[in-house]
Amino acid sequence: MRAAAVLLVLLALAGCGGTVQVEPPVPEGEAVAACDKLATLLPQTVGGDERGTSTPESPYVAVWGSGAVALRCGVPRPARMAPTDTLQEIGGVGWFPDPDRPALFTAVTDVAYVEVTVGGEHVAAEVLSDLSKPIGQLAPQAG
């Protein structure tokens, strides 16, 4: 019954179709293994929203709720990010806020860039805090 209620909410909030459409990235090199690892670490709930589904299905995409929060792992380095830009650190992870798209943030790790879109009524800092713990685990372990 609960699954049916969640599906109805997703249908209502996402408009047409039953899942949220998110273009999956194509990670390369070290990012492939890092993104595969991240997929197993992501929480079921972010910002109070349950994990949803996206289309096309991809291990490199995660959405919560109606897609107000969407994560894409293995994206290219943000074009607008300069080497001199200061990242916002949340939970030990550096985040680049896109100056042209205020709802778009990219986590910068040694092995992969992870893009997060935060929309709806969500507070970006809370969502990024929820996601910083699993993303922070992508860094190579200190020996």
PDB file of all heavy atoms in Angstrom, residues 93-129:
ATOM      1  N   VAL A  93      33.924  17.494   2.697  1.00  0.00           N
ATOM      2  CA  VAL A  93      33.877  17.417   1.237  1.00  0.00           C
ATOM      3  C   VAL A  93      33.806  18.836   0.679  1.00  0.00           C
ATOM      4  O   VAL A  93      33.035  19.664   1.160  1.00  0.00           O
ATOM      5  CB  VAL A  93      32.653  16.596   0.760  1.00  0.00           C
ATOM      6  CG1 VAL A  93      32.513  16.638  -0.755  1.00  0.00           C
ATOM      7  CG2 VAL A  93      32.772  15.154   1.241  1.00  0.00           C
ATOM      8  N   GLY A  94      34.611  19.108  -0.344  1.00  0.00           N
ATOM      9  CA  GLY A  94      34.577  20.404  -1.007  1.00  0.00           C
ATOM     10  C   GLY A  94      33.485  20.433  -2.065  1.00  0.00           C
ATOM     11  O   GLY A  94      33.416  19.540  -2.912  1.00  0.00           O
ATOM     12  N   TRP A  95      32.629  21.463  -2.018  1.00  0.00           N
ATOM     13  CA  TRP A  95      31.520  21.604  -2.958  1.00  0.00           C
ATOM     14  C   TRP A  95      31.693  22.874  -3.765  1.00  0.00           C
ATOM     15  O   TRP A  95      31.954  23.938  -3.208  1.00  0.00           O
ATOM     16  CB  TRP A  95      30.188  21.667  -2.207  1.00  0.00           C
ATOM     17  CG  TRP A  95      29.795  20.384  -1.563  1.00  0.00           C
ATOM     18  CD1 TRP A  95      30.082  19.984  -0.286  1.00  0.00           C
ATOM     19  CD2 TRP A  95      29.045  19.324  -2.150  1.00  0.00           C
ATOM     20  NE1 TRP A  95      29.545  18.743  -0.060  1.00  0.00           N
ATOM     21  CE2 TRP A  95      28.905  18.319  -1.174  1.00  0.00           C
ATOM     22  CE3 TRP A  95      28.474  19.137  -3.414  1.00  0.00           C
ATOM     23  CZ2 TRP A  95      28.224  17.131  -1.418  1.00  0.00           C
ATOM     24  CZ3 TRP A  95      27.785  17.957  -3.652  1.00  0.00           C
ATOM     25  CH2 TRP A  95      27.670  16.963  -2.663  1.00  0.00           C
ATOM     26  N   PHE A  96      31.525  22.763  -5.070  1.00  0.00           N
ATOM     27  CA  PHE A  96      31.566  23.918  -5.969  1.00  0.00           C
ATOM     28  C   PHE A  96      30.131  24.309  -6.305  1.00  0.00           C
ATOM     29  O   PHE A  96      29.401  23.537  -6.934  1.00  0.00           O
ATOM     30  CB  PHE A  96      32.322  23.573  -7.259  1.00  0.00           C
ATOM     31  CG  PHE A  96      32.256  24.660  -8.289  1.00  0.00           C
ATOM     32  CD1 PHE A  96      32.982  25.826  -8.127  1.00  0.00           C
ATOM     33  CD2 PHE A  96      31.459  24.521  -9.415  1.00  0.00           C
ATOM     34  CE1 PHE A  96      32.917  26.843  -9.076  1.00  0.00           C
ATOM     35  CE2 PHE A  96      31.382  25.521 -10.373  1.00  0.00           C
ATOM     36  CZ  PHE A  96      32.115  26.691 -10.192  1.00  0.00           C
ATOM     37  N   PRO A  97      29.706  25.520  -5.893  1.00  0.00           N
ATOM     38  CA  PRO A  97      28.365  25.986  -6.263  1.00  0.00           C
ATOM     39  C   PRO A  97      28.421  26.628  -7.648  1.00  0.00           C
ATOM     40  O   PRO A  97      29.236  27.511  -7.901  1.00  0.00           O
ATOM     41  CB  PRO A  97      28.044  27.024  -5.183  1.00  0.00           C
ATOM     42  CG  PRO A  97      29.379  27.535  -4.736  1.00  0.00           C
ATOM     43  CD  PRO A  97      30.373  26.410  -4.958  1.00  0.00           C
ATOM     44  N   ASP A  98      27.560  26.177  -8.555  1.00  0.00           N
ATOM     45  CA  ASP A  98      27.561  26.722  -9.913  1.00  0.00           C
ATOM     46  C   ASP A  98      27.013  28.149  -9.886  1.00  0.00           C
ATOM     47  O   ASP A  98      25.881  28.365  -9.451  1.00  0.00           O
ATOM     48  CB  ASP A  98      26.704  25.850 -10.831  1.00  0.00           C
ATOM     49  CG  ASP A  98      26.850  26.235 -12.288  1.00  0.00           C
ATOM     50  OD1 ASP A  98      26.619  27.418 -12.621  1.00  0.00           O
ATOM     51  OD2 ASP A  98      27.189  25.361 -13.099  1.00  0.00           O
ATOM     52  N   PRO A  99      27.797  29.133 -10.335  1.00  0.00           N
ATOM     53  CA  PRO A  99      27.337  30.524 -10.272  1.00  0.00           C
ATOM     54  C   PRO A  99      26.148  30.808 -11.193  1.00  0.00           C
ATOM     55  O   PRO A  99      25.400  31.762 -10.958  1.00  0.00           O
ATOM     56  CB  PRO A  99      28.564  31.337 -10.686  1.00  0.00           C
ATOM     57  CG  PRO A  99      29.452  30.395 -11.404  1.00  0.00           C
ATOM     58  CD  PRO A  99      29.142  29.019 -10.888  1.00  0.00           C
ATOM     59  N   ASP A 100      25.949  29.996 -12.231  1.00  0.00           N
ATOM     60  CA  ASP A 100      24.839  30.210 -13.164  1.00  0.00           C
ATOM     61  C   ASP A 100      23.580  29.440 -12.789  1.00  0.00           C
ATOM     62  O   ASP A 100      22.499  29.749 -13.277  1.00  0.00           O
ATOM     63  CB  ASP A 100      25.257  29.812 -14.586  1.00  0.00           C
ATOM     64  CG  ASP A 100      26.367  30.707 -15.120  1.00  0.00           C
ATOM     65  OD1 ASP A 100      26.404  31.899 -14.746  1.00  0.00           O
ATOM     66  OD2 ASP A 100      27.209  30.195 -15.881  1.00  0.00           O
ATOM     67  N   ARG A 101      23.745  28.411 -11.972  1.00  0.00           N
ATOM     68  CA  ARG A 101      22.601  27.574 -11.577  1.00  0.00           C
ATOM     69  C   ARG A 101      22.662  27.377 -10.066  1.00  0.00           C
ATOM     70  O   ARG A 101      23.323  26.465  -9.576  1.00  0.00           O
ATOM     71  CB  ARG A 101      22.654  26.231 -12.300  1.00  0.00           C
ATOM     72  CG  ARG A 101      22.508  26.390 -13.819  1.00  0.00           C
ATOM     73  CD  ARG A 101      22.655  25.101 -14.574  1.00  0.00           C
ATOM     74  NE  ARG A 101      21.718  24.076 -14.130  1.00  0.00           N
ATOM     75  CZ  ARG A 101      21.872  22.784 -14.380  1.00  0.00           C
ATOM     76  NH1 ARG A 101      22.911  22.361 -15.062  1.00  0.00           N
ATOM     77  NH2 ARG A 101      20.993  21.908 -13.952  1.00  0.00           N
ATOM     78  N   PRO A 102      21.958  28.237  -9.310  1.00  0.00           N
ATOM     79  CA  PRO A 102      22.071  28.214  -7.845  1.00  0.00           C
ATOM     80  C   PRO A 102      21.674  26.900  -7.178  1.00  0.00           C
ATOM     81  O   PRO A 102      22.011  26.676  -6.033  1.00  0.00           O
ATOM     82  CB  PRO A 102      21.149  29.341  -7.387  1.00  0.00           C
ATOM     83  CG  PRO A 102      20.687  30.049  -8.593  1.00  0.00           C
ATOM     84  CD  PRO A 102      21.089  29.273  -9.798  1.00  0.00           C
ATOM     85  N   ALA A 103      20.965  26.021  -7.876  1.00  0.00           N
ATOM     86  CA  ALA A 103      20.563  24.746  -7.289  1.00  0.00           C
ATOM     87  C   ALA A 103      21.548  23.624  -7.603  1.00  0.00           C
ATOM     88  O   ALA A 103      21.333  22.483  -7.208  1.00  0.00           O
ATOM     89  CB  ALA A 103      19.169  24.363  -7.789  1.00  0.00           C
ATOM     90  N   LEU A 104      22.642  23.932  -8.306  1.00  0.00           N
ATOM     91  CA  LEU A 104      23.592  22.907  -8.746  1.00  0.00           C
ATOM     92  C   LEU A 104      24.903  23.012  -7.977  1.00  0.00           C
ATOM     93  O   LEU A 104      25.528  24.071  -7.927  1.00  0.00           O
ATOM     94  CB  LEU A 104      23.859  23.054 -10.247  1.00  0.00           C
ATOM     95  CG  LEU A 104      24.800  22.031 -10.873  1.00  0.00           C
ATOM     96  CD1 LEU A 104      24.203  20.628 -10.798  1.00  0.00           C
ATOM     97  CD2 LEU A 104      25.084  22.407 -12.312  1.00  0.00           C
ATOM     98  N   PHE A 105      25.305  21.889  -7.399  1.00  0.00           N
ATOM     99  CA  PHE A 105      26.539  21.816  -6.616  1.00  0.00           C
ATOM    100  C   PHE A 105      27.326  20.602  -7.096  1.00  0.00           C
ATOM    101  O   PHE A 105      26.745  19.573  -7.410  1.00  0.00           O
ATOM    102  CB  PHE A 105      26.225  21.660  -5.126  1.00  0.00           C
ATOM    103  CG  PHE A 105      25.412  22.795  -4.582  1.00  0.00           C
ATOM    104  CD1 PHE A 105      24.026  22.761  -4.678  1.00  0.00           C
ATOM    105  CD2 PHE A 105      26.015  23.887  -4.014  1.00  0.00           C
ATOM    106  CE1 PHE A 105      23.253  23.810  -4.204  1.00  0.00           C
ATOM    107  CE2 PHE A 105      25.251  24.949  -3.537  1.00  0.00           C
ATOM    108  CZ  PHE A 105      23.871  24.909  -3.629  1.00  0.00           C
ATOM    109  N   THR A 106      28.658  20.725  -7.121  1.00  0.00           N
ATOM    110  CA  THR A 106      29.497  19.602  -7.529  1.00  0.00           C
ATOM    111  C   THR A 106      30.502  19.312  -6.429  1.00  0.00           C
ATOM    112  O   THR A 106      31.275  20.197  -6.034  1.00  0.00           O
ATOM    113  CB  THR A 106      30.228  19.900  -8.853  1.00  0.00           C
ATOM    114  OG1 THR A 106      29.267  20.228  -9.850  1.00  0.00           O
ATOM    115  CG2 THR A 106      31.042  18.700  -9.305  1.00  0.00           C
ATOM    116  N   ALA A 107      30.484  18.067  -5.933  1.00  0.00           N
ATOM    117  CA  ALA A 107      31.470  17.621  -4.960  1.00  0.00           C
ATOM    118  C   ALA A 107      32.751  17.310  -5.724  1.00  0.00           C
ATOM    119  O   ALA A 107      32.727  16.647  -6.759  1.00  0.00           O
ATOM    120  CB  ALA A 107      30.984  16.384  -4.221  1.00  0.00           C
ATOM    121  N   VAL A 108      33.861  17.791  -5.189  1.00  0.00           N
ATOM    122  CA  VAL A 108      35.160  17.595  -5.818  1.00  0.00           C
ATOM    123  C   VAL A 108      35.944  16.614  -4.956  1.00  0.00           C
ATOM    124  O   VAL A 108      36.288  16.907  -3.815  1.00  0.00           O
ATOM    125  CB  VAL A 108      35.906  18.942  -5.942  1.00  0.00           C
ATOM    126  CG1 VAL A 108      37.276  18.741  -6.563  1.00  0.00           C
ATOM    127  CG2 VAL A 108      35.076  19.943  -6.743  1.00  0.00           C
ATOM    128  N   THR A 109      36.187  15.417  -5.509  1.00  0.00           N
ATOM    129  CA  THR A 109      36.991  14.424  -4.799  1.00  0.00           C
ATOM    130  C   THR A 109      38.215  14.103  -5.646  1.00  0.00           C
ATOM    131  O   THR A 109      38.299  14.520  -6.800  1.00  0.00           O
ATOM    132  CB  THR A 109      36.187  13.127  -4.525  1.00  0.00           C
ATOM    133  OG1 THR A 109      36.059  12.390  -5.743  1.00  0.00           O
ATOM    134  CG2 THR A 109      34.812  13.417  -3.935  1.00  0.00           C
ATOM    135  N   ASP A 110      39.118  13.333  -5.090  1.00  0.00           N
ATOM    136  CA  ASP A 110      40.328  12.960  -5.819  1.00  0.00           C
ATOM    137  C   ASP A 110      40.039  12.005  -6.976  1.00  0.00           C
ATOM    138  O   ASP A 110      40.834  11.888  -7.896  1.00  0.00           O
ATOM    139  CB  ASP A 110      41.346  12.293  -4.876  1.00  0.00           C
ATOM    140  CG  ASP A 110      41.944  13.263  -3.879  1.00  0.00           C
ATOM    141  OD1 ASP A 110      41.905  14.488  -4.138  1.00  0.00           O
ATOM    142  OD2 ASP A 110      42.438  12.812  -2.832  1.00  0.00           O
ATOM    143  N   VAL A 111      38.898  11.329  -6.928  1.00  0.00           N
ATOM    144  CA  VAL A 111      38.624  10.287  -7.920  1.00  0.00           C
ATOM    145  C   VAL A 111      37.415  10.547  -8.810  1.00  0.00           C
ATOM    146  O   VAL A 111      37.283   9.921  -9.857  1.00  0.00           O
ATOM    147  CB  VAL A 111      38.473   8.908  -7.235  1.00  0.00           C
ATOM    148  CG1 VAL A 111      39.805   8.441  -6.672  1.00  0.00           C
ATOM    149  CG2 VAL A 111      37.404   8.937  -6.163  1.00  0.00           C
ATOM    150  N   ALA A 112      36.510  11.458  -8.399  1.00  0.00           N
ATOM    151  CA  ALA A 112      35.313  11.695  -9.204  1.00  0.00           C
ATOM    152  C   ALA A 112      34.660  13.019  -8.838  1.00  0.00           C
ATOM    153  O   ALA A 112      34.790  13.498  -7.712  1.00  0.00           O
ATOM    154  CB  ALA A 112      34.300  10.571  -9.001  1.00  0.00           C
ATOM    155  N   TYR A 113      33.973  13.591  -9.803  1.00  0.00           N
ATOM    156  CA  TYR A 113      33.117  14.746  -9.550  1.00  0.00           C
ATOM    157  C   TYR A 113      31.694  14.214  -9.402  1.00  0.00           C
ATOM    158  O   TYR A 113      31.241  13.391 -10.209  1.00  0.00           O
ATOM    159  CB  TYR A 113      33.170  15.746 -10.710  1.00  0.00           C
ATOM    160  CG  TYR A 113      34.513  16.426 -10.833  1.00  0.00           C
ATOM    161  CD1 TYR A 113      35.443  16.003 -11.773  1.00  0.00           C
ATOM    162  CD2 TYR A 113      34.847  17.490 -10.007  1.00  0.00           C
ATOM    163  CE1 TYR A 113      36.676  16.616 -11.898  1.00  0.00           C
ATOM    164  CE2 TYR A 113      36.078  18.123 -10.117  1.00  0.00           C
ATOM    165  CZ  TYR A 113      36.988  17.683 -11.057  1.00  0.00           C
ATOM    166  OH  TYR A 113      38.206  18.298 -11.164  1.00  0.00           O
ATOM    167  N   VAL A 114      30.992  14.702  -8.370  1.00  0.00           N
ATOM    168  CA  VAL A 114      29.632  14.253  -8.090  1.00  0.00           C
ATOM    169  C   VAL A 114      28.722  15.480  -8.084  1.00  0.00           C
ATOM    170  O   VAL A 114      28.874  16.358  -7.248  1.00  0.00           O
ATOM    171  CB  VAL A 114      29.540  13.513  -6.739  1.00  0.00           C
ATOM    172  CG1 VAL A 114      28.122  13.022  -6.491  1.00  0.00           C
ATOM    173  CG2 VAL A 114      30.536  12.362  -6.676  1.00  0.00           C
ATOM    174  N   GLU A 115      27.805  15.509  -9.022  1.00  0.00           N
ATOM    175  CA  GLU A 115      26.908  16.653  -9.190  1.00  0.00           C
ATOM    176  C   GLU A 115      25.600  16.399  -8.437  1.00  0.00           C
ATOM    177  O   GLU A 115      25.022  15.318  -8.538  1.00  0.00           O
ATOM    178  CB  GLU A 115      26.627  16.806 -10.680  1.00  0.00           C
ATOM    179  CG  GLU A 115      25.719  17.929 -11.062  1.00  0.00           C
ATOM    180  CD  GLU A 115      25.484  17.906 -12.566  1.00  0.00           C
ATOM    181  OE1 GLU A 115      26.331  18.448 -13.300  1.00  0.00           O
ATOM    182  OE2 GLU A 115      24.462  17.315 -12.991  1.00  0.00           O
ATOM    183  N   VAL A 116      25.157  17.407  -7.693  1.00  0.00           N
ATOM    184  CA  VAL A 116      23.903  17.304  -6.954  1.00  0.00           C
ATOM    185  C   VAL A 116      23.052  18.525  -7.271  1.00  0.00           C
ATOM    186  O   VAL A 116      23.511  19.655  -7.161  1.00  0.00           O
ATOM    187  CB  VAL A 116      24.148  17.210  -5.429  1.00  0.00           C
ATOM    188  CG1 VAL A 116      22.824  17.205  -4.660  1.00  0.00           C
ATOM    189  CG2 VAL A 116      24.956  15.959  -5.099  1.00  0.00           C
ATOM    190  N   THR A 117      21.813  18.268  -7.658  1.00  0.00           N
ATOM    191  CA  THR A 117      20.838  19.332  -7.878  1.00  0.00           C
ATOM    192  C   THR A 117      19.882  19.315  -6.695  1.00  0.00           C
ATOM    193  O   THR A 117      19.351  18.267  -6.338  1.00  0.00           O
ATOM    194  CB  THR A 117      20.049  19.096  -9.184  1.00  0.00           C
ATOM    195  OG1 THR A 117      20.983  18.981 -10.258  1.00  0.00           O
ATOM    196  CG2 THR A 117      19.101  20.245  -9.467  1.00  0.00           C
ATOM    197  N   VAL A 118      19.707  20.490  -6.088  1.00  0.00           N
ATOM    198  CA  VAL A 118      18.849  20.618  -4.920  1.00  0.00           C
ATOM    199  C   VAL A 118      17.719  21.576  -5.258  1.00  0.00           C
ATOM    200  O   VAL A 118      17.965  22.753  -5.526  1.00  0.00           O
ATOM    201  CB  VAL A 118      19.635  21.154  -3.700  1.00  0.00           C
ATOM    202  CG1 VAL A 118      18.728  21.259  -2.491  1.00  0.00           C
ATOM    203  CG2 VAL A 118      20.847  20.282  -3.407  1.00  0.00           C
ATOM    204  N   GLY A 119      16.503  21.070  -5.276  1.00  0.00           N
ATOM    205  CA  GLY A 119      15.363  21.909  -5.620  1.00  0.00           C
ATOM    206  C   GLY A 119      14.258  21.801  -4.599  1.00  0.00           C
ATOM    207  O   GLY A 119      14.432  21.266  -3.504  1.00  0.00           O
ATOM    208  N   GLY A 120      13.106  22.282  -4.989  1.00  0.00           N
ATOM    209  CA  GLY A 120      11.935  22.221  -4.119  1.00  0.00           C
ATOM    210  C   GLY A 120      12.145  23.062  -2.874  1.00  0.00           C
ATOM    211  O   GLY A 120      12.753  24.125  -2.912  1.00  0.00           O
ATOM    212  N   GLU A 121      11.662  22.556  -1.780  1.00  0.00           N
ATOM    213  CA  GLU A 121      11.733  23.263  -0.495  1.00  0.00           C
ATOM    214  C   GLU A 121      12.999  22.907   0.286  1.00  0.00           C
ATOM    215  O   GLU A 121      13.146  23.306   1.430  1.00  0.00           O
ATOM    216  CB  GLU A 121      10.499  22.915   0.357  1.00  0.00           C
ATOM    217  CG  GLU A 121       9.189  23.305  -0.299  1.00  0.00           C
ATOM    218  CD  GLU A 121       9.056  24.812  -0.482  1.00  0.00           C
ATOM    219  OE1 GLU A 121       9.393  25.559   0.444  1.00  0.00           O
ATOM    220  OE2 GLU A 121       8.634  25.224  -1.580  1.00  0.00           O
ATOM    221  N   HIS A 122      13.886  22.155  -0.326  1.00  0.00           N
ATOM    222  CA  HIS A 122      15.077  21.678   0.387  1.00  0.00           C
ATOM    223  C   HIS A 122      16.085  22.800   0.623  1.00  0.00           C
ATOM    224  O   HIS A 122      16.248  23.692  -0.210  1.00  0.00           O
ATOM    225  CB  HIS A 122      15.758  20.556  -0.393  1.00  0.00           C
ATOM    226  CG  HIS A 122      14.942  19.311  -0.444  1.00  0.00           C
ATOM    227  ND1 HIS A 122      14.778  18.481   0.631  1.00  0.00           N
ATOM    228  CD2 HIS A 122      14.206  18.766  -1.440  1.00  0.00           C
ATOM    229  CE1 HIS A 122      13.997  17.480   0.299  1.00  0.00           C
ATOM    230  NE2 HIS A 122      13.630  17.625  -0.955  1.00  0.00           N
ATOM    231  N   VAL A 123      16.770  22.697   1.759  1.00  0.00           N
ATOM    232  CA  VAL A 123      17.875  23.602   2.079  1.00  0.00           C
ATOM    233  C   VAL A 123      19.140  22.909   1.599  1.00  0.00           C
ATOM    234  O   VAL A 123      19.455  21.795   2.034  1.00  0.00           O
ATOM    235  CB  VAL A 123      17.928  23.880   3.597  1.00  0.00           C
ATOM    236  CG1 VAL A 123      19.135  24.732   3.942  1.00  0.00           C
ATOM    237  CG2 VAL A 123      16.637  24.541   4.062  1.00  0.00           C
ATOM    238  N   ALA A 124      19.858  23.575   0.697  1.00  0.00           N
ATOM    239  CA  ALA A 124      21.042  22.958   0.079  1.00  0.00           C
ATOM    240  C   ALA A 124      22.035  22.444   1.115  1.00  0.00           C
ATOM    241  O   ALA A 124      22.532  21.322   0.989  1.00  0.00           O
ATOM    242  CB  ALA A 124      21.711  23.937  -0.875  1.00  0.00           C
ATOM    243  N   ALA A 125      22.337  23.237   2.128  1.00  0.00           N
ATOM    244  CA  ALA A 125      23.338  22.825   3.117  1.00  0.00           C
ATOM    245  C   ALA A 125      22.949  21.523   3.809  1.00  0.00           C
ATOM    246  O   ALA A 125      23.804  20.677   4.086  1.00  0.00           O
ATOM    247  CB  ALA A 125      23.553  23.932   4.146  1.00  0.00           C
ATOM    248  N   GLU A 126      21.659  21.319   4.067  1.00  0.00           N
ATOM    249  CA  GLU A 126      21.210  20.086   4.722  1.00  0.00           C
ATOM    250  C   GLU A 126      21.345  18.892   3.792  1.00  0.00           C
ATOM    251  O   GLU A 126      21.804  17.825   4.197  1.00  0.00           O
ATOM    252  CB  GLU A 126      19.759  20.234   5.193  1.00  0.00           C
ATOM    253  CG  GLU A 126      19.606  21.242   6.311  1.00  0.00           C
ATOM    254  CD  GLU A 126      18.156  21.522   6.664  1.00  0.00           C
ATOM    255  OE1 GLU A 126      17.249  20.839   6.123  1.00  0.00           O
ATOM    256  OE2 GLU A 126      17.926  22.416   7.491  1.00  0.00           O
ATOM    257  N   VAL A 127      20.954  19.067   2.538  1.00  0.00           N
ATOM    258  CA  VAL A 127      21.065  17.975   1.565  1.00  0.00           C
ATOM    259  C   VAL A 127      22.536  17.620   1.342  1.00  0.00           C
ATOM    260  O   VAL A 127      22.911  16.440   1.341  1.00  0.00           O
ATOM    261  CB  VAL A 127      20.387  18.363   0.231  1.00  0.00           C
ATOM    262  CG1 VAL A 127      20.722  17.357  -0.863  1.00  0.00           C
ATOM    263  CG2 VAL A 127      18.880  18.480   0.413  1.00  0.00           C
ATOM    264  N   LEU A 128      23.377  18.633   1.159  1.00  0.00           N
ATOM    265  CA  LEU A 128      24.799  18.371   0.922  1.00  0.00           C
ATOM    266  C   LEU A 128      25.447  17.722   2.140  1.00  0.00           C
ATOM    267  O   LEU A 128      26.333  16.885   2.000  1.00  0.00           O
ATOM    268  CB  LEU A 128      25.515  19.656   0.525  1.00  0.00           C
ATOM    269  CG  LEU A 128      24.986  20.329  -0.747  1.00  0.00           C
ATOM    270  CD1 LEU A 128      25.782  21.591  -1.053  1.00  0.00           C
ATOM    271  CD2 LEU A 128      24.961  19.389  -1.929  1.00  0.00           C
ATOM    272  N   SER A 129      24.985  18.082   3.324  1.00  0.00           N
ATOM    273  CA  SER A 129      25.487  17.448   4.536  1.00  0.00           C
ATOM    274  C   SER A 129      25.117  15.965   4.554  1.00  0.00           C
ATOM    275  O   SER A 129      25.947  15.115   4.879  1.00  0.00           O
ATOM    276  CB  SER A 129      24.913  18.155   5.766  1.00  0.00           C
ATOM    277  OG  SER A 129      25.366  17.531   6.942  1.00  0.00           O
TER     278      SER A 129
END
